[in-house]
Amino acid sequence: MLNADQTEATGDPLGSSGLASRLYDDLTRAILAGTLAPGEKLSEPAIARSFGASRAPVREAIRRLQERGLVTYAVNQGARVAQPSAAEFLALLDVREAMEGMAARLAATHMEMSEVAALEALVAGHRGEIERNPLGAYLQDDPETDFHRRIARGSGNPILADLLCEQFYPRLRLCRRLHRTVQGRGREAWKEHLRITEAIGQRDGELAEILMRRHIRAARAALQTALAAE
């Protein structure tokens, strides 16, 4: 949490840029962790008091959250933490199939050998998690150990990587928190990650894209199964 003294130390006494970014990061973490619950109202005065900031950077942080789909705004209701519907989740997965398919194809060409080796080690390291809980979910909440983020960043396309990592994945994480997964899907997802990694290691961009698209379609089908069960 920041205070007024830290704001001054940044060299931005108005707190309009640096502080707004820090507020955005802190609020994003709170939303994705569930500390700020879906549908909860975001009070600018309360957040400003909590962070020891003026309302201008708070307003800017909330605006950015709204742009990322983590916050909604309605007249006479103000800003609230988003409550993504099942239909929105399914729509996100449709878009994700195309974007991540492209990322996998590009990664097969642009990833350095050291990056491929790190990806292989990452997926191999997840084996233990799956074996400990074969019927459980396969969630990767740590951005540094997220398979899909690694591929997006390894695509060599900074625009695609920014769209996926900074704008798309936070919305997906919020959706995942609100909609349960199918039992046993985690093990299948891990196997799919393994095959995608092998295709990237073989520099087969076409196969990597096909496998990634199948992977996302399988996730979408699993969600539909879970929704039907509800």
Side-chain angles (χ1 to χ4, degrees):
M1 182 179 296
L2 297 172
N3 56 38
D5 292 337
Q6 287 174 298
T7 303
E8 292 177 0
T10 65
D12 184 9
L14 297 178
S16 59
S17 56
L19 182 54
S21 294
R22 290 171 174 80
L23 284 166
Y24 168 78
D25 290 340
D26 284 350
L27 290 171
T28 296
R29 282 191 290 270
I31 290 171
L32 296 181
T35 306
L36 290 173
E40 184 172 340
K41 186 172 182 179
L42 299 180
S43 166
E44 287 183 12
I47 294 172
R49 287 194 300 271
S50 176
F51 285 87
S54 67
R55 291 181 62 174
V58 173
R59 191 175 300 115
E60 171 63 18
I62 291 176
R63 183 191 65 78
R64 289 180 59 190
L65 289 167
Q66 186 179 352
E67 290 178 347
R68 298 296 190 267
L70 298 179
V71 165
T72 59
Y73 180 86
V75 178
N76 298 326
Q77 295 185 27
R80 294 181 181 274
V81 177
Q83 292 180 288
S85 66
E88 181 179 349
F89 196 178
L90 290 169
L92 283 171
L93 291 175
D94 284 339
V95 177
R96 184 186 186 189
E97 179 187 333
M99 293 177 66
E100 290 209 23
M102 181 191 301
R105 174 170 53 81
L106 293 173
T109 300
H110 293 285
M111 265 190 161
E112 300 288 343
M113 288 305 299
S114 59
E115 294 177 301
V116 174
L119 185 67
E120 292 171 343
L122 177 71
V123 176
H126 289 162
R127 179 191 294 271
E129 176 186 342
I130 297 300
E131 291 178 344
R132 284 191 298 272
N133 187 13
L135 298 181
Y138 177 29
L139 301 178
Q140 302 164 76
D141 286 333
D142 183 354
E144 296 307 312
T145 59
D146 185 279
F147 173 80
H148 293 276
R149 284 178 178 269
R150 290 281 183 93
I151 291 177
R153 290 171 178 157
S155 70
N157 186 314
I159 295 175
L160 179 61
D162 180 72
L163 285 171
L164 284 169
C165 296
E166 303 304 325
Q167 300 185 43
F168 207 76
Y169 291 148
R171 294 181 71 178
L172 282 171
R173 283 185 62 191
L174 181 58
C175 285
R176 285 197 191 111
R177 286 191 58 250
L178 301 181
H179 302 283
R180 66 188 180 91
T181 57
V182 173
Q183 192 176 59
R185 170 60 193 156
R187 184 175 182 83
E188 292 305 312
W190 176 77
K191 290 179 180 177
E192 290 159 11
H193 283 191
L194 189 61
R195 289 192 286 269
I196 293 166
T197 301
E198 289 172 351
I200 291 174
Q202 294 165 2
R203 302 304 190 186
D204 191 336
E206 183 177 0
L207 179 59
E209 179 170 9
I210 290 171
L211 293 174
M212 180 63 83
R213 282 179 169 270
R214 287 178 180 171
H215 172 58
I216 304 303
R217 283 200 297 271
R220 192 182 193 282
L223 174 62
Q224 288 178 305
T225 300
L227 294 173
E230 293 177 356

